[in-house]
Every structure is written in structure tokens, then in C-alpha cells.
Amino acid sequence: MAVVLALAGAGAGYVWLNPGLFIQSAGREAADAETSANDKAVMTDLLAAQQKTADDVAAIEKAVADQQEQLKAIVSQLADLSSKIDALKSPAPQPPIAPSPAPGPVASMPPAPAPVVAPAPAARTAPRPKKPPRVATPSGPISVGGAPLNVTPGTTAR
């Protein structure tokens, strides 16, 4: 009997020191009803936020795809312009020189003198524009205070 009383006392002491074990389980049913209503509201908010995020991501992906297409078009136009510039920079191909026909048999004709070739004219350069002449600085008295100066060239200032 003493052992049973000791075990019952130990159990009562354990429950006394940890009162939250039984109180939480009793109030858990009421709290579950409140949290389930809150959970539904939170879930609808989360689903709405997820849908908005998915729509935003789709819009960004579409914008990136459009920009990539524009970039490809610009690159192809740039390549065309570059090839045209290279074609303009390269010297024009000269037509092939046709071989001169062999002269027929000529009996007693002296050989023709070689034609005199004039030297190619030198490339003209545009003449440099002349600098405008410098304006001569006026000499003589200068009015600093705004008073009129009536000095003639033959007189000196006092």
C-alpha cells in the first residue's frame, strides 16, 4: 500500500509542477476552430499572392523575349551596315585588261614611236582658310570711372 501511495503522490506532484499538460489539451479544441478560420484566410491570401507573382513573372518573361527579338533585329541590321561599309572601303575592282590583238604582217613600215605618257596629276588639296586679321588695340587714354576724356593727340595728360 505504501508503494501505491508513493506512486500516486509522485504523479500528483508531477502534474502540480507541469499544469500546462492538461490545460493545453482542454483548450486545444477551441483554438483549433479559430486557427482553421485564420488558416483559410491566410491560404486565400497566399494563393492570391502566388497568382499575382506568376502573372508578374509571365509579363517579365514576355518583355525579355520581345527585347531579345529586337536585339536580334538590331544585330542583323548592324551586320548589313558593316558589310556595306566594308564594301565601300575596299578599292573598286579594276576590269581585266584585254590582250591586244597581234598585229598582222606589215611589210616595210617602221615601228611607231612609243607614246609619251604624262605623269598623273597630283592630288589637289584644299587651300587653308586665311586667318582673319587681328584688330588693332586702341592706344591712348582709357576711361575707368566713366568720365569723358577730351585729350587730343598733341596734348599730354597732366
Side-chain angles (χ1 to χ4, degrees):
M1 197 48 149
V3 173
V4 172
L5 283 176
L7 285 176
Y14 181 76
V15 171
W16 181 264
L17 293 176
N18 296 316
L21 293 175
F22 293 109
I23 294 175
Q24 283 182 354
S25 64
R28 187 173 288 171
E29 294 160 359
D32 284 342
E34 288 179 20
T35 57
S36 65
N38 289 340
D39 288 345
K40 288 180 183 178
V42 170
M43 284 301 288
T44 56
D45 290 343
L46 287 175
L47 290 174
Q50 183 181 13
Q51 181 65 34
K52 184 180 181 307
T53 304
D55 292 343
D56 291 344
V57 168
I60 290 172
E61 287 176 350
K62 184 179 181 300
V64 167
D66 291 343
Q67 287 179 353
Q68 286 178 344
E69 289 176 15
Q70 290 175 351
L71 183 63
K72 287 178 184 178
I74 289 171
V75 167
S76 67
Q77 290 174 355
L78 184 62
D80 291 342
L81 288 174
S82 177
S83 65
K84 288 179 182 178
I85 289 172
D86 290 341
L88 290 174
K89 283 184 180 178
S90 66
Q94 297 180 357
I97 300 173
S100 60
V106 178
S108 62
M109 193 172 233
V116 177
V117 178
R124 289 189 161 194
T125 58
R128 288 186 179 173
K130 295 183 179 180
K131 292 182 181 178
R134 296 185 81 184
V135 178
T137 57
S139 61
I142 298 173
S143 173
V144 178
L149 297 174
N150 295 332
V151 178
T152 59
T155 60
T156 59
R158 296 184 200 178

